[in-house]
Amino acid sequence: MQPGTPPTVTVTPLLRTAAAYAWRLLVVGVLVYSLFAVLGRFHEIGVALFLGLVITALLRPVADVVARGLPRPVAVALTLLGSIALVLGVLTLVGEAVAGERTTLVREFRTGVGRIEDWLEQPPFRLNPGALSDLQAKIGDFLTSHRSTLVSTAVSGAHQVVAVLTTLALAVFSAVFFVHSGDRQWAWFQKQLPGSVRDRVAAGGRAAWRTFTGYTHGIVLVAAVNAVLVGVALWLLGVPLAVPLALLEFVAAFVPLIGSPIALAVAAVVALASKGPLVAAIVIGLIVVIGQIEGHLLHPLVMSWAVRLHPLVVAISVVAGSIAAGIVGAVVAVPLVSVVWSVHTALRDARAAAKETDAAATPPGSDSDGTDPSGTDGDGTDPDGPGPEAPRSGPRPPTT
């Protein structure tokens, strides 16, 4: 290096690669943050479309079967109306069960509260007599003194009820079109994209829908099995509200890992108040048993057609989703992660298959540009030479 020349800075390949990945990760992070910001601003629309896709995943196979003997619009209408009638019938059954056991429940809960007080006054708790009665009186005084606040909260909650009903209506409205002609809508969307990305979008879309439908069918089946096991167990133990608690278990199972324990904890409280600590302890044991059945039997068998995620990934996804969007985020997190991972895997496999196809199409012993590795073209000439044969110098041979 001559005097006065500034020293050259050498960047290691590792640092250069890390910097290249860093700015790409920053771009991806900005895009993801923008997406979640938009979804947070219009979360009702996002939730409605997600519910519409769930309904489509459940009812599309039924509608396809019915459409074999009826026109497509009629088949879709019958499928949706039958599903709505089934849901309303289950809710009516639950309401009838609660109304029929109301008198018995009030009597059993009063007896159970007294039994719990006697149990807590004995060793090892040794609770002061009348502590629960004082707590009940304090709760009553609090409700009386904050009646206006509670009323205003209930009135503001009515707006939430309206928002929930609007979201459900939009979900059903979207599901009607998804079930009827979702494939044509997807084909139209692909036609709007540049031709260079259509194949990749088609492959990613197929993988995403296959994973989403597989996860939806699997989680519904797992939730139904859990609900049946809980309902039968509570009925055999004589715990009241067995049917509503089984329905609660069905709904809670849509939140992996933490939904079922929470529902069974509610069942344990009901069992403690109505049947005593022994039955409550048995119900708590059900939390462990059903958790083992769900984690080691149902999920490996039922979820085999969907993407299998490590339990740590599932737990982190559920917690992150609940932090980002509450209960809705906890429900959406696992299928969202499954779909993203399946799309990534499908695109990666497609790239690998394309490389293998290109390698198989290339003749043996030649590079991808068709040149021979020895440095000559197919006719034996040097590509860097002057031509097929250089002219000779000197006298020509005589001709006869």
Side-chain angles (χ1 to χ4, degrees):
M1 183 175 64
Q2 297 180 357
T5 304
T8 58
V9 179
T10 304
V11 180
T12 62
L14 178 61
L15 183 58
R16 187 181 297 109
T17 303
Y21 277 104
W23 74 261
R24 289 177 172 86
L25 289 176
L26 288 176
V27 172
V28 172
V30 171
L31 292 177
V32 172
Y33 177 80
S34 302
L35 176 62
F36 275 96
V38 172
L39 291 178
R41 185 65 180 86
F42 303 98
H43 62 278
E44 290 88 356
I45 299 177
V47 172
L49 292 178
F50 175 79
L51 292 178
L53 292 175
V54 171
I55 297 173
T56 305
L58 294 176
L59 300 185
R60 181 66 184 263
V62 180
D64 292 341
V65 173
V66 178
R68 295 176 181 176
L70 296 174
R72 185 75 182 180
V74 178
V76 173
L78 289 178
T79 303
L80 289 174
L81 292 176
S83 303
I84 293 173
L86 178 62
V87 172
L88 293 178
V90 172
L91 295 178
T92 303
L93 177 63
V94 172
E96 291 291 336
V98 174
E101 297 180 3
R102 181 177 57 185
T103 304
T104 305
L105 285 175
V106 172
R107 184 177 64 254
E108 289 185 354
F109 271 84
R110 288 177 178 175
T111 305
V113 170
R115 190 186 303 116
I116 293 174
E117 289 181 354
D118 297 337
W119 178 54
L120 292 177
E121 291 173 2
Q122 298 175 2
F125 300 100
R126 298 185 181 278
L127 191 67
N128 294 327
L132 291 181
S133 300
D134 295 339
L135 180 61
Q136 294 177 4
K138 291 179 180 179
I139 294 175
D141 296 338
F142 176 82
L143 295 177
T144 303
S145 60
H146 295 79
R147 182 177 303 174
S148 59
T149 304
L150 295 175
V151 171
S152 62
T153 303
V155 171
S156 63
H159 297 285
Q160 299 295 329
V161 173
V162 173
V164 170
L165 294 178
T166 304
T167 302
L168 292 177
L170 181 58
V172 175
F173 185 75
S174 303
V176 171
F177 293 97
F178 291 160
V179 175
H180 180 265
S181 57
D183 51 351
R184 294 201 297 267
Q185 296 174 18
W186 176 247
W188 175 86
F189 172 76
Q190 292 183 79
K191 290 181 180 179
Q192 312 308 312
L193 300 175
S196 58
V197 299
R198 287 180 185 174
D199 293 338
R200 285 178 290 177
V201 172
R206 287 193 298 269
W209 183 244
R210 182 173 59 251
T211 301
F212 186 81
T213 54
Y215 181 87
T216 303
H217 296 164
I219 198 66
V220 168
L221 184 57
V222 170
V225 173
N226 285 354
V228 171
L229 292 177
V230 170
V232 171
L234 295 179
W235 178 74
L236 292 176
L237 293 174
V239 178
L241 300 177
V243 175
L245 291 174
L247 181 61
L248 177 63
E249 169 65 23
F250 176 81
V251 175
F254 284 88
V255 182
L257 297 181
I258 62 175
S260 294
I262 292 176
L264 289 176
V266 175
V269 173
V270 175
L272 178 63
S274 60
K275 295 297 180 180
L278 179 60
V279 177
I282 296 175
V283 174
I284 293 175
L286 285 176
I287 299 177
V288 180
V289 174
I290 293 180
Q292 294 297 318
I293 293 175
E294 179 181 351
H296 295 87
L297 180 62
L298 293 179
H299 271 282
L301 292 178
V302 176
M303 293 294 186
S304 59
W305 58 78
V307 175
R308 288 188 181 182
L309 298 177
H310 193 275
L312 180 61
V313 177
V314 174
I316 294 176
S317 302
V318 172
V319 174
S322 62
I323 293 174
I327 298 177
V328 176
V331 175
V332 175
V334 176
L336 179 61
V337 173
S338 300
V339 166
V340 170
W341 179 250
S342 66
V343 171
H344 167 72
T345 304
L347 296 179
R348 182 188 59 192
D349 295 342
R351 288 193 297 268
K355 290 181 179 179
E356 292 179 359
T357 303
D358 294 340
T362 303
S366 62
D367 294 335
S368 58
D369 57 354
T371 59
D372 189 75
S374 61
T376 60
D377 290 335
D379 56 356
T381 61
D382 187 358
D384 297 329
E389 185 178 3
R392 297 180 180 180
S393 58
R396 297 182 179 180
T399 60
T400 57

